[in-house]
Amino acid sequence: MEDFDAISLGVLWDRLIAIANETVETLVRTSFSSIVRENYDLACVLFDGDGNLLAQGSFGQPVFIGTGPQTLRHMLARFPAETLEPGDVIFTNDAWKGTGHLWDVNVMSPVFRDGRIAGYVLSISHLPDIGGRGISAENAEIYEEGLQVPICKLVCAGKPNEELIELIRANVRVNEQVIGDIMANVTCTQVGARLMLELMEEYGLTDLEPLSRGIIRQSEQAMRAQIRAIPDGTYTHSFKVEAFAEPVTLACRVVVSGDRLHVDFTGTSSQLRAGINVPLCYTRAMTAYAIKCLILPDVPNNEGSVNPVELTAPEGCILNAQLPAATGARLLVGHFVVPLIFGAMAQALPDAVQANPGMMNALNMVGTGPDGRPFSTLFFASGALGAMKGQDGLSATPAPASMMTMPAETWETLTGVTMVERHLRPDSGGAGEWRGGLGQRIVLRNDTASPVHIAILGSRTDYPAQGFHGGQSGGKRYFEINGKTVHPKGRYQLSTGDVLTINDAGGGGYGNPENRDPAKLSHDVAEGFVSPEGAARDYGRDNLSVAAE
């Protein structure tokens, strides 16, 4: 079949997405760690025989979907297609050729049909540990952060590389979970490969190139049409982000010219001797995600939707960090690429942009669980989404990552750390005609018999989520141990009975707060989202009249 009509193309595209979804669910069902099983810190993507991105799972981390095509290109440069055999599985956690830090593994299986490669399946997931000092913003060099595995064959013609597996096992904490998760990635890519072959056999496809050309062409045409609708021009934005002694500056210039769009990060601060540096692969992924969210959110991601977007960043800046930079906590800077670009495009697309989010944060926790077994895992928490025209921001929702919430029952069983309370923070959503989402308050207590070591990965403590077009900023984030405020990027020990409190950031508001619908504000007060005092202070409304409306 050399060409496809629109209906056939739509059906086959949906089938590819269904295959990617089944690959995701296989990874989740066979994984050993809570990070994959409960938090879905993963992605699975399908490629054609030329290495072009075809489809992604409906649930996957945006940054992984963005780095995946770059990783595959690096893998094929190391192992060209003609050197691969059926049963090969390629593996790496290289921070610059993978996802930006060592904790994410990239596992790829080629899809062979009639003796030639017809496609590739790539899965990515975050491991519970990779050795070293663990994830921390305080690490100074990547050599502190754990085991680096260059692009290599994890499985060669169906035979596992036992020496590599034993090397990884000997260098990590909770090695049963680590090796189990790696093998779950292998399993899911093989399932994805089998399903791709079944699809090809069902439709009589000798290869995927005609289908790929149709999908990519359609998406690229749609993306270029949307870019052409943006007024030509140069749009700029910059802001500061918390670091350590001094903040760092992030800056971008977006140039729109016809059907092409170029993002330049000149003016961004230099990389640091700290774990918050961002390799360019991660910056590129966040850039593509931000642009797609703004102008073409409804079309599934593929090669065509990113082709019109170009990027440059000065070598050695914090968004294009170079070896031996530590990158474990790259989310603390890299996630800000999205609101940075949104801020620039607010000048061109005022009705499409979203006010700044409160961002997610994470805790790296290492200790001994109630069953006496060691644990090493992440606790994800989230601020809130910013508001946009016509819509309040969602509360306690991560952005631009999309991890799922850890159930309290699973967390407590795994770690012995009790979740004492969890609720929304009143008045933390930025006031506006459309209100920013609320942050949350989470209280964790170490109820184990031994210390728990934590590294906090938090932002939005000095610079809250900005509102747009007259909307106010959201509430700031802060962390407390036993009632005392602590550094949001520090390492700490929780002794038995110690209490950690996370106060997450709210999202920015959109539009003048004085224009908020009185019925909506009344509902906010009645539900406890906005206090009567907050209604008077931030919205200029009398407490009693608001409560009675």
Side-chain angles (χ1 to χ4, degrees), residues 359-380:
M359 297 295 187
M360 62 163 284
N361 66 87
L363 306 173
N364 185 42
M365 286 197 173
V366 178
T368 303
D371 58 0
R373 301 177 67 183
F375 67 83
S376 176
T377 191
L378 290 175
F379 181 86
F380 292 108

Side-chain angles (χ1 to χ4, degrees), residues 96-113:
W96 276 263
K97 296 177 181 178
T99 71
H101 75 180
L102 301 179
W103 285 262
D104 298 327
V105 291
N106 304 263
V107 177
M108 181 272 281
S109 290
V111 182
F112 279 86
R113 178 169 169 78

Side-chain angles (χ1 to χ4, degrees), residues 274-342:
I276 62 174
N277 300 294
V278 187
L280 188 62
C281 59
Y282 194 96
T283 301
R284 189 181 302 279
M286 285 286 93
T287 299
Y289 174 69
I291 297 300
K292 190 170 184 305
C293 285
L294 278 174
I295 69 175
L296 199 67
D298 296 331
V299 175
N301 195 46
N302 61 63
E303 204 77 21
S305 61
V306 298
N307 283 342
V309 180
E310 302 169 351
L311 174 148
T312 53
E315 195 170 282
C317 79
I318 202 167
L319 291 176
N320 186 7
Q322 305 296 301
L323 278 167
T327 66
R330 84 265 197 260
L331 79 158
L332 297 179
V333 171
H335 279 182
F336 283 89
V337 168
V338 175
L340 180 67
I341 292 173
F342 278 18

Side-chain angles (χ1 to χ4, degrees), residues 487-508:
H487 197 284
K489 295 176 176 62
R491 291 176 179 269
Y492 303 95
Q493 175 179 295
L494 294 183
S495 299
T496 302
D498 283 351
V499 174
L500 169 68
T501 302
I502 304 167
N503 296 279
D504 269 327

